[in-house]
Amino acid sequence: MSQQKPVVVVTRKLPDAIETRMMELFDARLNHDDHPMEQSELIEAVKTADILVPTVTDRIDSRVLSQANPELRLIANFGTGVDHIDLASARERGITVTNTPGVLTEDTADMTMALILAVPRRLAEGEHVMRSGDWKGWSPTGMLGHRIFGKRLGIVGMGRIGQAVARRARGFGLSVHYHNRNRVHEEIENELEATYWESLDQMLARMDIISVNCPHTPATYHLLSARRLKLIQPNSYIVNTARGEIIDENALTRMLRGKELAGAGLDVFEHEPAVNPKLMELDNAVLLPHMASATIEGRAEMGEKVIINIKTFVDGHVPPDRVLPGEYI
Ligand code: 8YV
């Protein structure tokens, strides 16, 4: 890397204060109109960048990385999930990858809890009835949903976000169950009164609500496959604020249509920004535009983390949020 300020290419518009600071510290190239970059633009970006700051909307695949300037040493992702970056190619090229964990945990857990409440209690349907002018007034059998209190919540992925969801869920009287690659520490299990299920299949078959909170990796692609979705009871609900690719979206849509599942709350989709049109037609699905971590505070903290990761790296130290080299691959 040159002695001058490093060229930092930022693929999307970030909060103003973050962009201002980046311009002070680095030779920052910003995306003023915030358009999602085409693959050809990403290739141009990696040809000029010493450091790339992408987001979930950029596909940093092997084709893009194969054209990277040899000076590209760091990809400082604005976001926690790094599944849009080909980590194997980055590793081959000796590129360090960082992310922004922790700062979006509570916001994502809040939105997960909001969906856990919204779907069984038919919040979106109720709102729609009001705005469409169809409401004829209260009735004893009107808008009946399912009680949350006393139900079983199965969390798939008990990392930071899964644990934050569990803490909230206990306040609503849900019993907490989880499946994770590794069992979490006993102290955490005790605090959350969480039951560990080694077998995901067995857990799925016994839960009232399932919340997906694991990262998308090659091992979790379609973790909730058509076969596994069929194990879930027809009166159960699924919430996903992690990544669309973890659930077979077509199979899920078919099952929701056929009332083989009671409902779903989805903030993420398999082919974003495209959404299965059949999903859009369903009353028993609450759909959100990948906004679980979208708070002003969270975005500012994500930006600060990106800056700290870059600055530490440029100063010759190991950045605090290094994903690669690391345990990911
Ligand atoms: C971010 C997310 O907003 O951090 C993540 O992994 O899914 C989102 O909540 C997005 O990824 C920013 O790139």
Side-chain angles (χ1 to χ4, degrees):
M1 209 173 289
S2 63
Q3 293 305 101
Q4 286 151 358
K5 286 180 177 179
V7 174
V8 176
V9 178
V10 184
T11 66
R12 299 296 298 268
K13 171 104 190 69
L14 300 186
D16 287 343
I18 299 300
E19 291 193 338
T20 304
R21 189 73 187 124
M22 280 188 166
M23 285 191 294
E24 286 163 4
L25 291 169
F26 317 121
D27 179 358
R29 315 281 166 89
L30 306 175
N31 177 353
H32 295 289
D33 68 9
D34 194 34
H35 69 281
M37 285 192 179
E38 303 284 347
Q39 293 311 98
S40 57
E41 289 176 277
L42 288 174
I43 289 172
E44 283 317 303
V46 295
K47 280 183 182 167
T48 48
D50 296 323
I51 293 161
L52 183 72
V53 179
T55 74
V56 69
T57 58
D58 305 304
R59 198 156 41 81
I60 314 297
D61 57 18
S62 59
R63 219 181 112 241
V64 169
L65 289 175
S66 70
Q67 314 235 14
N69 154 22
E71 299 291 308
L72 178 71
R73 304 271 32 102
L74 172 67
I75 299 176
N77 187 52
F78 183 86
T80 303
V82 287
D83 52 328
H84 53 292
I85 302 169
D86 184 332
L87 295 178
S89 296
R91 185 174 59 177
E92 265 167 38
R93 304 183 70 85
I95 298 170
T96 297
V97 177
T98 60
N99 67 347
T100 61
V103 291
L104 31 76
T105 302
E106 304 303 332
D107 298 326
T108 306
D110 283 343
M111 199 60 105
T112 307
M113 200 61 225
L115 286 171
I116 290 172
L117 299 175
V119 186
R121 295 303 308 274
R122 305 175 63 185
L123 200 93
E125 282 178 80
E127 219 265 350
H128 181 73
V129 167
M130 296 307 289
R131 284 181 194 267
S132 62
D134 288 344
W135 191 44
K136 306 283 183 301
W138 184 86
S139 91
T141 54
M143 291 307 303
L144 300 185
H146 280 282
R147 179 181 292 160
I148 305 295
F149 190 91
K151 296 284 163 56
R152 283 164 301 194
L153 171 68
I155 298 175
V156 181
M158 198 59 145
R160 288 188 187 84
I161 296 173
Q163 290 174 31
V165 171
R167 273 185 204 102
R168 285 158 177 75
R170 290 191 60 230
F172 284 88
L174 286 156
S175 66
V176 172
H177 302 253
Y178 77 98
H179 169 81
N180 199 47
R181 253 183 328 169
N182 304 308
R183 193 166 176 166
V184 300
H185 201 279
E186 207 184 321
E187 252 174 48
I188 298 174
E189 260 187 19
N190 291 342
E191 179 213 331
L192 301 172
E193 293 180 67
T195 304
Y196 173 62
W197 292 76
E198 194 177 345
S199 159
L200 175 60
D201 288 8
Q202 286 183 18
M203 183 179 88
L204 292 176
R206 288 168 179 80
M207 296 299 121
D208 301 300
I209 304 168
I210 289 142
S211 175
V212 178
N213 296 106
C214 60
H216 169 221
T217 65
T220 65
Y221 174 77
H222 279 196
L223 185 66
L224 298 196
S225 58
R227 178 191 72 78
R228 284 214 172 96
L229 289 171
K230 288 212 181 297
L231 300 173
I232 301 170
Q233 296 165 29
N235 55 352
S236 299
Y237 298 89
I238 297 189
V239 165
N240 187 4
T241 53
R243 280 293 181 271
E245 290 91 334
I246 299 165
I247 304 182
D248 180 338
E249 191 173 293
N250 284 334
L252 175 68
T253 307
R254 275 196 306 276
M255 290 184 67
L256 289 168
R257 271 164 69 94
K259 305 274 185 267
E260 292 171 74
L261 283 171
L266 307 174
D267 181 53
V268 286
F269 303 89
E270 201 172 333
H271 305 288
E272 290 180 20
V275 178
N276 187 325
K278 299 218 167 74
L279 211 41
M280 300 267 211
E281 294 165 7
L282 299 175
D283 284 342
N284 55 350
V286 175
L287 311 178
L288 297 178
H290 199 146
M291 59 187 276
S293 73
T295 66
I296 292 165
E297 296 86 342
R299 291 290 186 255
E301 288 169 14
M302 286 164 74
E304 280 156 21
K305 267 195 170 276
V306 169
I307 291 173
I308 292 167
N309 281 319
I310 298 176
K311 194 78 183 76
T312 321
F313 182 83
V314 169
D315 290 346
H317 305 291
V318 174
D321 306 306
R322 195 175 70 168
V323 174
L324 188 73
E327 58 153 339
Y328 248 86
I329 56 166

